Amino acid sequence: MTTKLSKTEQRTRRHRRIRAKVSGTAERPRLAVFKSNSYMYAQLIDDTKGATLAASSDMGLKGKTKTERAKLAGAALAKIAKEKGLESAVFDRGGFIYTGRVRAFAEGAREGGLVF
């Protein structure tokens, strides 16, 4: 008999599947995205060292909607990455569907100059 998984467990399984294929290096870090009900968080991670190179969130950003704030947070992360000499990244959507805030964040990062 199969048991029904919660939304969180389903997302965690999807994320594990993605992480089996996606890994970040110092030259091309992994852009990991997490969204809660209120905010959006992202980090550029070097998986070889297990170190966070840059981080950003939409907490405290001025935007009318969560989607607008996510786009601004993506641009802010791209700016931080540029300052640290990082040009490209590998996108890790964290098990979330690529639409809405996740997509807005990715577009903001791309517009800020990050390539992925």
Side-chain angles (χ1 to χ4, degrees):
M1 188 166 159
T2 59
T3 59
K4 180 135 171 72
L5 297 174
S6 71
K7 266 182 144 180
T8 309
E9 290 167 331
Q10 289 174 2
R11 187 192 69 80
T12 304
R13 281 189 175 191
R14 283 192 303 269
H15 192 203
R16 276 199 219 117
R17 268 198 314 270
I18 292 165
R19 286 288 292 119
K21 300 168 190 158
V22 174
S23 181
T25 63
E27 301 82 39
R28 193 158 183 218
R30 176 169 54 97
L31 173 53
V33 172
F34 177 78
K35 69 174 189 173
S36 69
N37 286 339
S38 307
Y39 300 108
M40 188 96 182
Y41 308 90
Q43 305 179 76
L44 285 170
I45 303 166
D46 176 2
D47 288 315
T48 55
K49 293 180 186 170
T52 299
L53 306 175
S56 174
S57 78
D58 67 351
M59 206 178 292
L61 292 178
K62 300 290 180 206
K64 291 190 179 194
T65 64
K66 292 178 187 178
T67 308
E68 288 173 6
R69 288 200 324 255
K71 194 165 190 172
L72 293 172
L77 184 66
K79 184 180 175 197
I80 295 167
K82 286 280 188 190
E83 290 170 2
K84 296 196 176 194
L86 301 169
E87 298 290 323
S88 65
V90 182
F91 192 68
D92 173 8
R93 60 187 174 88
F96 297 103
I97 190 166
Y98 187 79
T99 188
R101 289 193 283 160
V102 175
R103 183 175 179 175
F105 187 92
E107 288 172 357
R110 284 190 187 108
E111 287 172 11
L114 208 54
V115 178
F116 56 89

mmCIF file of all heavy atoms in Angstrom, residues 30-78:
data_model
loop_
_atom_site.group_PDB
_atom_site.id
_atom_site.type_symbol
_atom_site.label_atom_id
_atom_site.label_comp_id
_atom_site.label_asym_id
_atom_site.label_seq_id
_atom_site.Cartn_x
_atom_site.Cartn_y
_atom_site.Cartn_z
ATOM 1 N N ARG A 30 26.775 26.794 -8.197
ATOM 2 C CA ARG A 30 25.365 26.413 -8.285
ATOM 3 C C ARG A 30 24.525 27.542 -7.697
ATOM 4 O O ARG A 30 24.781 28.007 -6.588
ATOM 5 C CB ARG A 30 25.151 25.117 -7.493
ATOM 6 C CG ARG A 30 23.731 24.652 -7.407
ATOM 7 C CD ARG A 30 23.639 23.247 -6.850
ATOM 8 N NE ARG A 30 24.299 23.081 -5.579
ATOM 9 C CZ ARG A 30 23.688 23.121 -4.392
ATOM 10 N NH1 ARG A 30 22.382 23.307 -4.316
ATOM 11 N NH2 ARG A 30 24.361 22.956 -3.279
ATOM 12 N N LEU A 31 23.547 28.001 -8.454
ATOM 13 C CA LEU A 31 22.621 29.036 -7.988
ATOM 14 C C LEU A 31 21.406 28.335 -7.403
ATOM 15 O O LEU A 31 20.508 27.917 -8.121
ATOM 16 C CB LEU A 31 22.223 29.964 -9.134
ATOM 17 C CG LEU A 31 21.129 31.001 -8.877
ATOM 18 C CD1 LEU A 31 21.436 31.830 -7.653
ATOM 19 C CD2 LEU A 31 20.946 31.886 -10.069
ATOM 20 N N ALA A 32 21.406 28.147 -6.085
ATOM 21 C CA ALA A 32 20.337 27.430 -5.393
ATOM 22 C C ALA A 32 19.261 28.406 -4.945
ATOM 23 O O ALA A 32 19.560 29.428 -4.318
ATOM 24 C CB ALA A 32 20.903 26.691 -4.192
ATOM 25 N N VAL A 33 18.015 28.095 -5.254
ATOM 26 C CA VAL A 33 16.883 28.965 -4.951
ATOM 27 C C VAL A 33 15.973 28.272 -3.944
ATOM 28 O O VAL A 33 15.723 27.073 -4.031
ATOM 29 C CB VAL A 33 16.097 29.274 -6.247
ATOM 30 C CG1 VAL A 33 14.813 29.996 -5.951
ATOM 31 C CG2 VAL A 33 16.946 30.073 -7.196
ATOM 32 N N PHE A 34 15.483 29.035 -2.974
ATOM 33 C CA PHE A 34 14.488 28.531 -2.034
ATOM 34 C C PHE A 34 13.416 29.591 -1.875
ATOM 35 O O PHE A 34 13.720 30.778 -1.728
ATOM 36 C CB PHE A 34 15.096 28.225 -0.661
ATOM 37 C CG PHE A 34 14.065 27.781 0.338
ATOM 38 C CD1 PHE A 34 13.565 26.494 0.307
ATOM 39 C CD2 PHE A 34 13.559 28.663 1.277
ATOM 40 C CE1 PHE A 34 12.580 26.084 1.208
ATOM 41 C CE2 PHE A 34 12.588 28.269 2.185
ATOM 42 C CZ PHE A 34 12.101 26.981 2.149
ATOM 43 N N LYS A 35 12.166 29.162 -1.908
ATOM 44 C CA LYS A 35 11.083 30.123 -1.678
ATOM 45 C C LYS A 35 10.215 29.633 -0.532
ATOM 46 O O LYS A 35 9.828 28.473 -0.474
ATOM 47 C CB LYS A 35 10.264 30.363 -2.942
ATOM 48 C CG LYS A 35 9.426 29.212 -3.395
ATOM 49 C CD LYS A 35 8.549 29.603 -4.567
ATOM 50 C CE LYS A 35 7.578 28.482 -4.830
ATOM 51 N NZ LYS A 35 6.576 28.768 -5.805
ATOM 52 N N SER A 36 9.955 30.553 0.383
ATOM 53 C CA SER A 36 9.008 30.263 1.453
ATOM 54 C C SER A 36 7.715 30.964 1.076
ATOM 55 O O SER A 36 7.624 31.582 0.018
ATOM 56 C CB SER A 36 9.550 30.789 2.790
ATOM 57 O OG SER A 36 9.559 32.209 2.797
ATOM 58 N N ASN A 37 6.740 30.911 1.938
ATOM 59 C CA ASN A 37 5.483 31.595 1.634
ATOM 60 C C ASN A 37 5.666 33.106 1.585
ATOM 61 O O ASN A 37 4.970 33.793 0.854
ATOM 62 C CB ASN A 37 4.421 31.247 2.682
ATOM 63 C CG ASN A 37 3.886 29.847 2.498
ATOM 64 O OD1 ASN A 37 3.995 29.287 1.419
ATOM 65 N ND2 ASN A 37 3.341 29.284 3.555
ATOM 66 N N SER A 38 6.634 33.608 2.363
ATOM 67 C CA SER A 38 6.817 35.051 2.454
ATOM 68 C C SER A 38 7.953 35.585 1.600
ATOM 69 O O SER A 38 7.837 36.650 1.007
ATOM 70 C CB SER A 38 7.092 35.449 3.901
ATOM 71 O OG SER A 38 6.103 34.939 4.753
ATOM 72 N N TYR A 39 9.075 34.881 1.568
ATOM 73 C CA TYR A 39 10.282 35.414 0.956
ATOM 74 C C TYR A 39 10.934 34.435 -0.005
ATOM 75 O O TYR A 39 10.582 33.265 -0.059
ATOM 76 C CB TYR A 39 11.296 35.820 2.036
ATOM 77 C CG TYR A 39 10.774 36.879 2.961
ATOM 78 C CD1 TYR A 39 10.435 36.573 4.270
ATOM 79 C CD2 TYR A 39 10.591 38.186 2.534
ATOM 80 C CE1 TYR A 39 9.945 37.545 5.123
ATOM 81 C CE2 TYR A 39 10.093 39.159 3.377
ATOM 82 C CZ TYR A 39 9.770 38.837 4.669
ATOM 83 O OH TYR A 39 9.277 39.806 5.500
ATOM 84 N N MET A 40 11.932 34.944 -0.713
ATOM 85 C CA MET A 40 12.711 34.169 -1.676
ATOM 86 C C MET A 40 14.180 34.319 -1.300
ATOM 87 O O MET A 40 14.641 35.428 -1.042
ATOM 88 C CB MET A 40 12.458 34.768 -3.060
ATOM 89 C CG MET A 40 13.007 34.014 -4.167
ATOM 90 S SD MET A 40 11.711 32.997 -4.809
ATOM 91 C CE MET A 40 12.605 32.183 -6.055
ATOM 92 N N TYR A 41 14.901 33.208 -1.267
ATOM 93 C CA TYR A 41 16.316 33.219 -0.900
ATOM 94 C C TYR A 41 17.117 32.520 -1.990
ATOM 95 O O TYR A 41 16.616 31.575 -2.608
ATOM 96 C CB TYR A 41 16.550 32.464 0.415
ATOM 97 C CG TYR A 41 15.669 32.907 1.556
ATOM 98 C CD1 TYR A 41 14.440 32.300 1.780
ATOM 99 C CD2 TYR A 41 16.062 33.928 2.401
ATOM 100 C CE1 TYR A 41 13.629 32.694 2.828
ATOM 101 C CE2 TYR A 41 15.253 34.334 3.455
ATOM 102 C CZ TYR A 41 14.039 33.711 3.662
ATOM 103 O OH TYR A 41 13.239 34.112 4.701
ATOM 104 N N ALA A 42 18.355 32.953 -2.200
ATOM 105 C CA ALA A 42 19.214 32.290 -3.184
ATOM 106 C C ALA A 42 20.666 32.408 -2.761
ATOM 107 O O ALA A 42 21.055 33.374 -2.099
ATOM 108 C CB ALA A 42 19.029 32.905 -4.554
ATOM 109 N N GLN A 43 21.443 31.396 -3.146
ATOM 110 C CA GLN A 43 22.865 31.381 -2.834
ATOM 111 C C GLN A 43 23.640 30.889 -4.044
ATOM 112 O O GLN A 43 23.143 30.056 -4.796
ATOM 113 C CB GLN A 43 23.177 30.407 -1.703
ATOM 114 C CG GLN A 43 22.427 30.607 -0.436
ATOM 115 C CD GLN A 43 22.814 29.553 0.575
ATOM 116 O OE1 GLN A 43 23.867 29.630 1.167
ATOM 117 N NE2 GLN A 43 21.966 28.551 0.741
ATOM 118 N N LEU A 44 24.855 31.379 -4.191
ATOM 119 C CA LEU A 44 25.795 30.827 -5.155
ATOM 120 C C LEU A 44 26.734 29.938 -4.355
ATOM 121 O O LEU A 44 27.410 30.411 -3.443
ATOM 122 C CB LEU A 44 26.570 31.936 -5.863
ATOM 123 C CG LEU A 44 25.779 32.698 -6.913
ATOM 124 C CD1 LEU A 44 26.555 33.922 -7.379
ATOM 125 C CD2 LEU A 44 25.440 31.821 -8.088
ATOM 126 N N ILE A 45 26.758 28.639 -4.677
ATOM 127 C CA ILE A 45 27.464 27.662 -3.856
ATOM 128 C C ILE A 45 28.543 26.949 -4.661
ATOM 129 O O ILE A 45 28.292 26.479 -5.772
ATOM 130 C CB ILE A 45 26.475 26.613 -3.295
ATOM 131 C CG1 ILE A 45 25.371 27.310 -2.504
ATOM 132 C CG2 ILE A 45 27.195 25.591 -2.432
ATOM 133 C CD1 ILE A 45 24.189 26.434 -2.188
ATOM 134 N N ASP A 46 29.747 26.862 -4.073
ATOM 135 C CA ASP A 46 30.832 26.051 -4.625
ATOM 136 C C ASP A 46 30.750 24.699 -3.928
ATOM 137 O O ASP A 46 31.113 24.575 -2.765
ATOM 138 C CB ASP A 46 32.178 26.730 -4.354
ATOM 139 C CG ASP A 46 33.359 25.903 -4.817
ATOM 140 O OD1 ASP A 46 33.144 24.817 -5.381
ATOM 141 O OD2 ASP A 46 34.502 26.344 -4.608
ATOM 142 N N ASP A 47 30.242 23.678 -4.634
ATOM 143 C CA ASP A 47 30.035 22.362 -4.026
ATOM 144 C C ASP A 47 31.331 21.602 -3.781
ATOM 145 O O ASP A 47 31.354 20.691 -2.951
ATOM 146 C CB ASP A 47 29.092 21.522 -4.890
ATOM 147 C CG ASP A 47 27.659 22.023 -4.808
ATOM 148 O OD1 ASP A 47 27.200 22.304 -3.683
ATOM 149 O OD2 ASP A 47 27.010 22.137 -5.856
ATOM 150 N N THR A 48 32.409 21.958 -4.481
ATOM 151 C CA THR A 48 33.677 21.261 -4.246
ATOM 152 C C THR A 48 34.222 21.582 -2.859
ATOM 153 O O THR A 48 34.793 20.724 -2.202
ATOM 154 C CB THR A 48 34.726 21.632 -5.318
ATOM 155 O OG1 THR A 48 34.879 23.048 -5.352
ATOM 156 C CG2 THR A 48 34.303 21.122 -6.683
ATOM 157 N N LYS A 49 34.032 22.825 -2.410
ATOM 158 C CA LYS A 49 34.469 23.238 -1.070
ATOM 159 C C LYS A 49 33.330 23.216 -0.060
ATOM 160 O O LYS A 49 33.571 23.263 1.143
ATOM 161 C CB LYS A 49 35.033 24.660 -1.110
ATOM 162 C CG LYS A 49 36.318 24.804 -1.876
ATOM 163 C CD LYS A 49 36.764 26.245 -1.841
ATOM 164 C CE LYS A 49 37.969 26.468 -2.712
ATOM 165 N NZ LYS A 49 38.265 27.904 -2.868
ATOM 166 N N GLY A 50 32.106 23.219 -0.553
ATOM 167 C CA GLY A 50 30.952 23.312 0.335
ATOM 168 C C GLY A 50 30.806 24.704 0.916
ATOM 169 O O GLY A 50 30.416 24.872 2.065
ATOM 170 N N ALA A 51 31.130 25.718 0.096
ATOM 171 C CA ALA A 51 31.122 27.098 0.583
ATOM 172 C C ALA A 51 30.128 27.952 -0.203
ATOM 173 O O ALA A 51 29.977 27.792 -1.413
ATOM 174 C CB ALA A 51 32.514 27.697 0.442
ATOM 175 N N THR A 52 29.468 28.865 0.511
ATOM 176 C CA THR A 52 28.582 29.830 -0.122
ATOM 177 C C THR A 52 29.411 31.022 -0.564
ATOM 178 O O THR A 52 30.107 31.633 0.249
ATOM 179 C CB THR A 52 27.485 30.284 0.856
ATOM 180 O OG1 THR A 52 26.715 29.139 1.231
ATOM 181 C CG2 THR A 52 26.580 31.312 0.225
ATOM 182 N N LEU A 53 29.353 31.361 -1.843
ATOM 183 C CA LEU A 53 30.145 32.460 -2.393
ATOM 184 C C LEU A 53 29.388 33.788 -2.331
ATOM 185 O O LEU A 53 29.995 34.836 -2.149
ATOM 186 C CB LEU A 53 30.531 32.152 -3.840
ATOM 187 C CG LEU A 53 31.245 30.811 -4.063
ATOM 188 C CD1 LEU A 53 31.459 30.564 -5.539
ATOM 189 C CD2 LEU A 53 32.565 30.782 -3.317
ATOM 190 N N ALA A 54 28.075 33.745 -2.492
ATOM 191 C CA ALA A 54 27.244 34.950 -2.438
ATOM 192 C C ALA A 54 25.820 34.536 -2.105
ATOM 193 O O ALA A 54 25.414 33.412 -2.378
ATOM 194 C CB ALA A 54 27.278 35.677 -3.774
ATOM 195 N N ALA A 55 25.080 35.454 -1.501
ATOM 196 C CA ALA A 55 23.694 35.159 -1.139
ATOM 197 C C ALA A 55 22.840 36.412 -1.287
ATOM 198 O O ALA A 55 23.353 37.533 -1.223
ATOM 199 C CB ALA A 55 23.619 34.638 0.286
ATOM 200 N N SER A 56 21.544 36.182 -1.485
ATOM 201 C CA SER A 56 20.605 37.287 -1.636
ATOM 202 C C SER A 56 19.217 36.824 -1.243
ATOM 203 O O SER A 56 18.915 35.630 -1.318
ATOM 204 C CB SER A 56 20.605 37.760 -3.099
ATOM 205 O OG SER A 56 19.617 38.732 -3.301
ATOM 206 N N SER A 57 18.391 37.755 -0.816
ATOM 207 C CA SER A 57 16.990 37.440 -0.562
ATOM 208 C C SER A 57 16.153 38.669 -0.882
ATOM 209 O O SER A 57 16.689 39.772 -1.036
ATOM 210 C CB SER A 57 16.765 37.016 0.889
ATOM 211 O OG SER A 57 16.745 38.130 1.736
ATOM 212 N N ASP A 58 14.851 38.484 -0.967
ATOM 213 C CA ASP A 58 13.983 39.612 -1.275
ATOM 214 C C ASP A 58 13.472 40.295 -0.002
ATOM 215 O O ASP A 58 12.646 41.186 -0.069
ATOM 216 C CB ASP A 58 12.826 39.181 -2.172
ATOM 217 C CG ASP A 58 11.845 38.252 -1.500
ATOM 218 O OD1 ASP A 58 12.124 37.791 -0.380
ATOM 219 O OD2 ASP A 58 10.797 37.965 -2.107
ATOM 220 N N MET A 59 13.999 39.889 1.135
ATOM 221 C CA MET A 59 13.597 40.480 2.395
ATOM 222 C C MET A 59 14.069 41.940 2.441
ATOM 223 O O MET A 59 15.241 42.215 2.219
ATOM 224 C CB MET A 59 14.225 39.709 3.557
ATOM 225 C CG MET A 59 13.451 39.797 4.831
ATOM 226 S SD MET A 59 14.198 38.826 6.149
ATOM 227 C CE MET A 59 13.958 37.176 5.591
ATOM 228 N N GLY A 60 13.164 42.857 2.656
ATOM 229 C CA GLY A 60 13.528 44.263 2.747
ATOM 230 C C GLY A 60 13.584 44.984 1.416
ATOM 231 O O GLY A 60 13.858 46.171 1.374
ATOM 232 N N LEU A 61 13.351 44.295 0.310
ATOM 233 C CA LEU A 61 13.340 44.952 -0.997
ATOM 234 C C LEU A 61 11.979 45.592 -1.236
ATOM 235 O O LEU A 61 10.958 45.088 -0.795
ATOM 236 C CB LEU A 61 13.642 43.950 -2.118
ATOM 237 C CG LEU A 61 15.051 43.388 -2.163
ATOM 238 C CD1 LEU A 61 15.164 42.370 -3.288
ATOM 239 C CD2 LEU A 61 16.075 44.484 -2.363
ATOM 240 N N LYS A 62 11.983 46.688 -1.963
ATOM 241 C CA LYS A 62 10.739 47.404 -2.247
ATOM 242 C C LYS A 62 10.161 46.934 -3.578
ATOM 243 O O LYS A 62 10.745 47.129 -4.623
ATOM 244 C CB LYS A 62 10.994 48.911 -2.321
ATOM 245 C CG LYS A 62 11.558 49.497 -1.042
ATOM 246 C CD LYS A 62 10.546 49.498 0.060
ATOM 247 C CE LYS A 62 11.142 50.100 1.317
ATOM 248 N NZ LYS A 62 10.506 49.631 2.515
ATOM 249 N N GLY A 63 9.035 46.270 -3.507
ATOM 250 C CA GLY A 63 8.329 45.822 -4.697
ATOM 251 C C GLY A 63 6.874 45.628 -4.320
ATOM 252 O O GLY A 63 6.564 45.294 -3.180
ATOM 253 N N LYS A 64 5.998 45.806 -5.274
ATOM 254 C CA LYS A 64 4.575 45.698 -4.956
ATOM 255 C C LYS A 64 4.146 44.261 -4.728
ATOM 256 O O LYS A 64 3.352 43.975 -3.862
ATOM 257 C CB LYS A 64 3.749 46.315 -6.080
ATOM 258 C CG LYS A 64 3.892 47.807 -6.146
ATOM 259 C CD LYS A 64 2.910 48.421 -7.092
ATOM 260 C CE LYS A 64 3.104 49.923 -7.087
ATOM 261 N NZ LYS A 64 2.057 50.661 -7.678
ATOM 262 N N THR A 65 4.712 43.336 -5.537
ATOM 263 C CA THR A 65 4.322 41.938 -5.395
ATOM 264 C C THR A 65 5.541 41.080 -5.068
ATOM 265 O O THR A 65 6.676 41.520 -5.203
ATOM 266 C CB THR A 65 3.691 41.411 -6.704
ATOM 267 O OG1 THR A 65 4.686 41.435 -7.727
ATOM 268 C CG2 THR A 65 2.501 42.238 -7.127
ATOM 269 N N LYS A 66 5.287 39.845 -4.665
ATOM 270 C CA LYS A 66 6.375 38.912 -4.368
ATOM 271 C C LYS A 66 7.193 38.638 -5.619
ATOM 272 O O LYS A 66 8.414 38.486 -5.551
ATOM 273 C CB LYS A 66 5.816 37.597 -3.826
ATOM 274 C CG LYS A 66 5.177 37.702 -2.463
ATOM 275 C CD LYS A 66 4.630 36.351 -2.069
ATOM 276 C CE LYS A 66 3.825 36.411 -0.799
ATOM 277 N NZ LYS A 66 3.251 35.116 -0.444
ATOM 278 N N THR A 67 6.538 38.580 -6.766
ATOM 279 C CA THR A 67 7.222 38.309 -8.030
ATOM 280 C C THR A 67 8.171 39.451 -8.382
ATOM 281 O O THR A 67 9.309 39.211 -8.803
ATOM 282 C CB THR A 67 6.187 38.100 -9.157
ATOM 283 O OG1 THR A 67 5.249 37.108 -8.738
ATOM 284 C CG2 THR A 67 6.851 37.658 -10.431
ATOM 285 N N GLU A 68 7.733 40.688 -8.203
ATOM 286 C CA GLU A 68 8.592 41.845 -8.463
ATOM 287 C C GLU A 68 9.801 41.834 -7.539
ATOM 288 O O GLU A 68 10.922 42.125 -7.957
ATOM 289 C CB GLU A 68 7.811 43.147 -8.276
ATOM 290 C CG GLU A 68 6.809 43.430 -9.365
ATOM 291 C CD GLU A 68 5.933 44.630 -9.053
ATOM 292 O OE1 GLU A 68 6.180 45.326 -8.034
ATOM 293 O OE2 GLU A 68 4.994 44.880 -9.823
ATOM 294 N N ARG A 69 9.566 41.502 -6.261
ATOM 295 C CA ARG A 69 10.674 41.440 -5.297
ATOM 296 C C ARG A 69 11.661 40.340 -5.668
ATOM 297 O O ARG A 69 12.874 40.503 -5.521
ATOM 298 C CB ARG A 69 10.146 41.216 -3.880
ATOM 299 C CG ARG A 69 9.466 42.427 -3.287
ATOM 300 C CD ARG A 69 9.367 42.379 -1.771
ATOM 301 N NE ARG A 69 9.145 41.063 -1.228
ATOM 302 C CZ ARG A 69 7.986 40.605 -0.744
ATOM 303 N NH1 ARG A 69 6.927 41.384 -0.770
ATOM 304 N NH2 ARG A 69 7.887 39.403 -0.241
ATOM 305 N N ALA A 70 11.148 39.198 -6.154
ATOM 306 C CA ALA A 70 12.020 38.094 -6.555
ATOM 307 C C ALA A 70 12.925 38.525 -7.710
ATOM 308 O O ALA A 70 14.119 38.198 -7.730
ATOM 309 C CB ALA A 70 11.183 36.883 -6.952
ATOM 310 N N LYS A 71 12.373 39.269 -8.660
ATOM 311 C CA LYS A 71 13.167 39.737 -9.798
ATOM 312 C C LYS A 71 14.265 40.691 -9.326
ATOM 313 O O LYS A 71 15.409 40.613 -9.783
ATOM 314 C CB LYS A 71 12.263 40.418 -10.819
ATOM 315 C CG LYS A 71 12.911 40.636 -12.152
ATOM 316 C CD LYS A 71 11.892 40.969 -13.203
ATOM 317 C CE LYS A 71 12.538 40.948 -14.578
ATOM 318 N NZ LYS A 71 11.579 41.072 -15.643
ATOM 319 N N LEU A 72 13.932 41.573 -8.392
ATOM 320 C CA LEU A 72 14.924 42.495 -7.838
ATOM 321 C C LEU A 72 16.015 41.744 -7.076
ATOM 322 O O LEU A 72 17.189 42.099 -7.144
ATOM 323 C CB LEU A 72 14.245 43.512 -6.910
ATOM 324 C CG LEU A 72 13.296 44.511 -7.572
ATOM 325 C CD1 LEU A 72 12.558 45.318 -6.516
ATOM 326 C CD2 LEU A 72 14.058 45.430 -8.510
ATOM 327 N N ALA A 73 15.630 40.692 -6.354
ATOM 328 C CA ALA A 73 16.603 39.887 -5.616
ATOM 329 C C ALA A 73 17.551 39.171 -6.577
ATOM 330 O O ALA A 73 18.760 39.050 -6.303
ATOM 331 C CB ALA A 73 15.891 38.868 -4.729
ATOM 332 N N GLY A 74 17.042 38.712 -7.710
ATOM 333 C CA GLY A 74 17.879 38.079 -8.727
ATOM 334 C C GLY A 74 18.906 39.052 -9.283
ATOM 335 O O GLY A 74 20.083 38.708 -9.438
ATOM 336 N N ALA A 75 18.471 40.264 -9.553
ATOM 337 C CA ALA A 75 19.387 41.292 -10.053
ATOM 338 C C ALA A 75 20.439 41.641 -9.007
ATOM 339 O O ALA A 75 21.613 41.836 -9.328
ATOM 340 C CB ALA A 75 18.605 42.534 -10.464
ATOM 341 N N ALA A 76 20.024 41.675 -7.733
ATOM 342 C CA ALA A 76 20.961 41.984 -6.648
ATOM 343 C C ALA A 76 22.020 40.889 -6.521
ATOM 344 O O ALA A 76 23.207 41.176 -6.330
ATOM 345 C CB ALA A 76 20.206 42.139 -5.329
ATOM 346 N N LEU A 77 21.613 39.627 -6.647
ATOM 347 C CA LEU A 77 22.569 38.523 -6.567
ATOM 348 C C LEU A 77 23.541 38.573 -7.741
ATOM 349 O O LEU A 77 24.738 38.330 -7.564
ATOM 350 C CB LEU A 77 21.847 37.172 -6.539
ATOM 351 C CG LEU A 77 22.768 35.971 -6.360
ATOM 352 C CD1 LEU A 77 23.415 35.995 -4.985
ATOM 353 C CD2 LEU A 77 22.014 34.683 -6.546
ATOM 354 N N ALA A 78 23.047 38.902 -8.922
ATOM 355 C CA ALA A 78 23.916 39.011 -10.099
ATOM 356 C C ALA A 78 24.954 40.110 -9.898
ATOM 357 O O ALA A 78 26.119 39.949 -10.268
ATOM 358 C CB ALA A 78 23.083 39.281 -11.344
#
